[in-house]
Each structure stands twice: as structure tokens, then as C-alpha cells.
Amino acid sequence: MDPMRHDETPTLSPPSAATGAEASGRTEQAPSPWVLRIVTLGLVLAALNLRPAITSLGPLLEEVRDGLHMSGSIAGVLTSVPPLCFALFGFAAPRLARRFGPAVVVCAGMVAIAAGLLLRPFVGGTVGFLAASALALMGIAVSNVLMPVIVKRWFPDRVGTVTGLYSMALALGTALAAALTVPVTNALGGSWRTGLAVWAVLAVAAVLPWIPFVRDRRDASGPAAGTPAPPALRITRSRTAWAMACFFGLQATAAYITMGWMPQIFRDAGIPAGTAGVLLAVTMAMGVPLAFVIPRVATRLRTQGPIVLVLSGCGLIGYAGLWAAPAAGAWLWAILLGVANCAFPLALTMIGMRSRTGPGVVRLSAFAQSTGYLLSIPGPLLVGVLYQHSGGWGVPIALMAGLLVPQTVAGMLAGRARTVEDEC
């Protein structure tokens, strides 16, 4: 059934719900084009909000520390909170999706992001700031997991295109928050509290497209009423799921190391702080066009191993350049590492491709992302320790390059043409 046909009655039910409905003697109409457009808008706006809570804080971290009298240790913990929250709260996403439906949970996630961003600058004190940040990160975590699920449900024949679209929006939101937070803060009077809170406006806008789906509380991945439930997937038995989790975790490790330490590498090489920030922005901005292209290419290939090899090769060259000539080839290294960081949209695309069913996508997405984010927590901290004790960047860069080897192996395994249902 073509989901874009104009002669169908409008419905809020996703296309994948039709199979179960037909099994119970009912026929589900495909969603009308305007409904699919609303879902697409919701996906894009949601994706724009999945990183500003994190990247808006970095440029103002010094002001936040001074304003809240925050110790350096607590500030270090604050920078490590995002992957921890993504891991812990991400595990809850499948249960919430089964009970309320993925679209409802994403809508609630956007509300949590808006509330957290609005509250954290004004609740007063370090504890309140951390608690409000955790609220926003909780919304991000469940939405992270359910984005591939919604794409698989509503756009089963266009997984690569739609994944590319929201991955591009995610990269754009990441870069915009990092680049605009300080100028916006200055334009609004110079208060760091206002500069952080203003990003809640974008989150409020992301709530609106999901409101029409709040009453549709069915988990579109499940069977229709009166039909037997499929056996639960034991996702931990799947080698593909473990490979996907390792690939996701190692690419997340590389991304957090890049965001946290690459400007310092350039500054230690004699590059001015302002230029180092621009170089990081270039690295992040590479994800905007490539996040749209890579998923579309990935879905046209039987296996995604070749893409993994290309991305890893760019990363190895970039790290080698940082080690040998960080200042002389700074712009080239920034571009190459930006290409390497596009393993993230590739991982999201493969999550949608490595399962045949809605429940499989939910479980694989939650397992791969939550386990992956747990694996990513020690990386940035270890780089800092090695930098401090070795007195330079040689050993940390060697670690970064070394982690690309298991990332490549895991990506090759995760990219094989098989599904988790075949292995569970």
C-alpha cells in the first residue's frame, strides 16, 4: 500500500499497524500525506532539540560555575552526565513505548526538554541545576531511542531518506547551539541564565506537531487487539545487537572526545582560542550534509561495511594529522574528523535496517544506544587523564586512533545483511 496516496481516508495510525489489524478482520487506512508531513515536521523539530541542552552549556560553563559557585569537580561531573542519562533513561524507552505509544513518549520527551531547559538556570543552586539538566536529558534519552522506531513505523519504504533528514537536523541543532549561545546571550543582556533558557523556546515548538498523536496511545509495533502477541525478543542473544551496541558506543566515544578535547589540542599547538572554536564548529557542521547523504546510500547497499571503512579511514588520517602537524593542516584534520563522526547517522540507519519488525526496532534501538552510551562514558575522562600524566597529546591521540580499530570491526559486523529476529 502506497502511504502517499491521496485517495485514502486520513488516519493517525502508522502504516505498520495495518498488518495486525488485517489479521483481526479490520482494514487500516494508510495515513494521508498531510499526516506524514506532520510526522516529518515533528521528527525534524525533535531532532533539532536532541543536543542544544548539551552544546549550549559548554560556551557558558565558566559563567555557570561562577554564578552557582560550582567546584571544578562538579563541573567535570556535569560534562559526564549526558551519556550516563542517555544510557539509564534510554533503557526505559521500550516499556514506555509499549504502554503509551512511541509518538506519545516523544511528545512527553519534548515537554521534559522544554521544562528542564527553562528551569535549570533559575531553580538556584548546583543541585537544582543538575536536577533540571537531568530532566531535559531524560527527554532527550527516550527520544533518542524512539526516533529510529518512528521512522521505521511511518516511513518503512524510506528509512534512509527520513533518517538522513532528522540526522541532518540533529547535527544542525548541535552546531547552532554551540555557535549561537554566546552571541544570543550577549544580545539578550549578557546573563548566562537567559542565554541557556532561550533554548527552551525551540523545545516548546517541537511539542506542537506531536499533540495530534497524543490520543493515539497504541504501540504501533504491537499486534491489534485479539491477535496473539509475538514472542519477546531476547536481544542480548543477538550477535548483531552486540556489534551494533559496540559500534554505537565507540562512535559516541569518539564524538564526545572530539567535542570535549579537540579545541584544546589545537590551542596547545599554538592556534588561537577563537580559531580553535571555529575548527570544532567545522567538524560538527560536516555532519549536516553528510547526515542526509550517508543514510540514503546505506539503505541502497546490501551491507554497510564499505561505508564503515571509508569513515574509519578518514578518522585515522585525521588523527595522524593531529599527531604529526596539528597546526599546519588544522582545517583538513577538522574536516576529516567531521566525516569520521558521521558514523552516528550510519548507526541510526543500521538500527532501522537490522530488524524486520517494530518490536525489534524498539528493542534494538534501546539496547544499542543505552549500552553504547554506557561504553562511551570512560573515553573522554581517560583522554584527560592521559593528557595530564603524559604531558602531551601523543598518547591520547594514539588512544583515539586505536579505538577506531574495534569500532571498524564492530561496524563491519553490524553492517552485515541480517536481522536480530534471525538470531534471537
Side-chain angles (χ1 to χ4, degrees), residues 152 159 298-299 301 304 349-355 418-419:
K152 183 77 169 181
V159 170
T299 55
L301 299 178
Q304 289 70 51
T349 306
M350 289 198 294
I351 287 174
M353 298 177 67
R354 294 287 87 87
S355 177
R418 59 186 61 192
T419 62

Side-chain angles (χ1 to χ4, degrees), residues 23-91:
S24 61
R26 294 181 290 111
T27 300
E28 291 283 354
Q29 298 291 339
S32 65
W34 70 265
V35 171
L36 293 178
R37 292 188 188 104
I38 293 175
V39 176
T40 302
L41 177 63
L43 284 168
V44 170
L45 288 176
L48 285 171
N49 282 278
L50 294 183
R51 292 300 179 268
I54 303 168
T55 55
S56 65
L57 179 60
L60 296 176
L61 186 56
E62 184 175 342
E63 288 78 4
V64 172
R65 288 182 56 189
D66 293 340
L68 297 178
H69 308 290
M70 188 183 296
S71 68
S73 299
I74 296 297
V77 170
L78 185 61
T79 60
S80 301
V81 164
L84 179 61
C85 287
F86 291 169
L88 295 180
F89 295 126
F91 278 120

Side-chain angles (χ1 to χ4, degrees), residues 374-395:
L374 278 177
L375 293 174
S376 74
I377 292 173
L381 299 176
L382 182 57
V383 167
V385 170
L386 291 175
Y387 172 57
Q388 180 177 351
H389 287 84
S390 67
W393 284 108
V395 176

Side-chain angles (χ1 to χ4, degrees), residues 2-10 29-34 36-37:
D2 184 0
M4 293 300 291
R5 283 177 55 185
H6 291 259
D7 59 342
E8 301 290 357
T9 303
Q29 298 291 339
S32 65
W34 70 265
L36 293 178
R37 292 188 188 104

Side-chain angles (χ1 to χ4, degrees), residues 21 56 61 103 118 135 153 159 180 260 282 285 289 299 355 369 371 391 416:
S56 65
L61 186 56
L118 185 61
L135 176 62
R153 308 282 167 70
V159 170
L180 297 181
V282 168
T299 55
S355 177
Q369 294 199 47
T371 304
R416 294 177 297 175

Side-chain angles (χ1 to χ4, degrees), residues 36-309:
L36 293 178
R37 292 188 188 104
I38 293 175
V39 176
T40 302
L41 177 63
L43 284 168
V44 170
L45 288 176
L48 285 171
N49 282 278
L50 294 183
R51 292 300 179 268
I54 303 168
T55 55
S56 65
L57 179 60
L60 296 176
L61 186 56
E62 184 175 342
E63 288 78 4
V64 172
R65 288 182 56 189
D66 293 340
L68 297 178
H69 308 290
M70 188 183 296
S71 68
S73 299
I74 296 297
V77 170
L78 185 61
T79 60
S80 301
V81 164
L84 179 61
C85 287
F86 291 169
L88 295 180
F89 295 126
F91 278 120
R95 180 172 297 180
L96 293 172
R98 286 195 299 271
R99 181 167 183 178
F100 301 106
V104 178
V105 177
V106 171
C107 183
M110 294 301 109
V111 172
I113 294 171
L117 290 178
L118 185 61
L119 290 174
R120 72 175 181 177
F122 304 111
V123 290
T126 300
V127 174
F129 189 92
L130 288 171
S133 295
L135 176 62
L137 292 169
M138 177 178 66
I140 295 172
V142 295
S143 301
N144 271 337
V145 170
L146 295 179
M147 289 287 103
V149 176
I150 290 175
V151 172
K152 183 77 169 181
R153 308 282 167 70
W154 291 87
F155 307 96
D157 56 339
R158 288 173 286 161
V159 170
T161 299
V162 180
T163 299
L165 185 63
Y166 89 75
S167 297
M168 184 173 62
L170 193 153
L172 182 62
T174 303
L176 287 178
L180 297 181
T181 295
V182 172
V184 169
T185 300
N186 294 335
L188 295 177
S191 170
W192 64 266
R193 298 180 189 275
T194 306
L196 291 181
V198 73
W199 292 101
V201 176
L202 183 61
V204 171
V207 175
L208 302 179
W210 297 105
I211 291 176
F213 305 94
V214 168
R215 290 188 177 183
D216 186 19
R217 296 198 170 195
R218 293 168 296 171
D219 177 11
S221 67
T227 59
L233 291 175
R234 297 185 179 181
I235 201 71
T236 54
R237 292 185 175 182
S238 169
R239 295 181 180 180
T240 298
W242 279 106
M244 184 65 68
C246 292
F247 180 64
F248 194 96
L250 289 167
Q251 67 79 27
T253 299
Y256 279 106
I257 290 174
T258 298
M259 287 187 286
W261 291 109
M262 197 175 78
Q264 190 64 50
I265 295 175
F266 287 131
R267 291 185 67 177
D268 288 350
I271 295 174
T275 304
V278 173
L279 287 165
L280 177 60
V282 168
T283 299
M284 297 295 101
M286 289 299 298
V288 177
L290 291 180
F292 185 71
V293 173
I294 289 176
R296 299 187 70 181
V297 175
T299 55
R300 295 176 181 178
L301 299 178
R302 185 171 181 272
T303 64
Q304 289 70 51
I307 303 178
V308 173
L309 289 175

